[in-house]
Amino acid sequence: MPIDTRLDGGPVTLYAGSRYLRDRLGFEVDGSATTLRAAGDEARHGWLGSAGAAFGDRMAAAAVRADALRAEVDATALTLSEYADTLTGAQTTMLAARQLAAAQGLIVAGTMILDPYSPDPVVHQQQRLAYAVALQQVSQARAMMVTARAVAQARQAAAHAQPMIRPGDVVSGPGGGAPVQRPAATDGDIPFAPEQREPAAAHELNHVVQQRNGPPTPAVTR
């Protein structure tokens, strides 16, 4: 049975992704944590009343989550780099298996090592030994990749489990409180601002009172 030594993947791309996570994304996350802490400290020491302390606590909590995100970024970058190392080693092993097989007279068609074929008993035995060694090398390389994939999948699951930093973790309304809910206008109601409703209501009430009481009595002068 032919031995398949094909192993796809680009270690260079994986190394580039690892560097991006560690050097660029990680740097940005660090910067956001620093900014959050600075904003919290400024509010805690510069604002009047309890709003400063509340906002400072919210910023501190968001900064802690940013630190956790940075740890996840670093862990993922390391996993990518280690996966690239394993892939490089496995691909090198596959190449060595093909070279060994070809050196012992086996036919190598692309990434496939074909079965021993020589009718000469001595040569055939050499080919069988080379085939067995190549098969062992390929099997070891495959096993290395199975382990590396399991590690990468576990890291992916851990990263997905990390809560995202959402806008609501920083601020969810004026002063960090719940958004202000204004009463909805009903049918026939004029959607004025609250400060505009009172004068209008008072004017309407005065108009009704005047209609009930009749026209005002003119003043009598003597």
Side-chain angles (χ1 to χ4, degrees):
M1 181 178 180
I3 302 173
D4 185 6
T5 66
R6 178 176 176 176
L7 184 55
D8 295 329
V12 173
T13 302
L14 292 170
Y15 285 128
S18 177
R19 287 193 300 271
Y20 171 81
L21 290 176
R22 184 180 60 252
D23 299 337
R24 295 191 60 184
L25 181 58
F27 176 80
E28 294 295 335
V29 173
D30 271 346
S32 68
T34 300
T35 300
L36 289 169
R37 287 192 171 89
D41 290 342
E42 181 179 354
R44 186 175 287 106
H45 299 295
W47 292 10
L48 298 177
S50 61
F55 187 79
D57 291 343
R58 184 181 289 271
M59 295 300 101
V64 170
R65 299 188 70 172
D67 290 338
L69 177 59
R70 174 58 196 265
E72 291 296 325
V73 169
D74 287 344
T76 302
L78 178 60
T79 300
L80 276 179
S81 180
E82 291 176 343
Y83 188 89
D85 291 341
T86 302
L87 179 59
T88 299
Q91 289 177 336
T92 300
T93 299
M94 297 295 193
L95 175 60
R98 292 193 296 269
Q99 291 174 339
L100 171 67
Q104 295 300 320
L106 290 170
I107 296 176
V108 178
T111 58
M112 302 294 292
I113 300 175
L114 304 186
D115 298 83
Y117 67 92
S118 177
D120 184 287
V122 176
V123 176
H124 188 80
Q125 181 63 21
Q126 291 176 347
Q127 290 180 347
R128 288 185 59 187
L129 291 175
Y131 181 92
V133 173
L135 179 60
Q136 183 180 19
Q137 290 177 329
V138 171
S139 298
Q140 290 175 348
R142 299 275 183 211
M144 290 168 55
M145 292 309 303
V146 168
T147 301
R149 289 191 186 97
V151 172
Q153 289 170 353
R155 173 91 294 275
Q156 183 182 32
H160 284 171
Q162 176 66 29
M164 296 178 62
I165 300 177
R166 303 181 184 278
D169 297 328
V170 180
V171 60
S172 58
V180 176
Q181 299 293 332
R182 297 189 182 276
T186 59
D187 292 340
D189 195 9
I190 302 175
F192 289 150
E195 61 273 12
Q196 294 175 306
R197 291 179 183 272
E198 294 301 330
H203 175 76
E204 183 176 354
L205 179 60
N206 290 334
H207 180 67
V208 172
V209 171
Q210 289 178 4
Q211 285 184 332
R212 289 180 177 178
N213 296 338
T217 304
V220 178
T221 59
R222 295 181 183 274

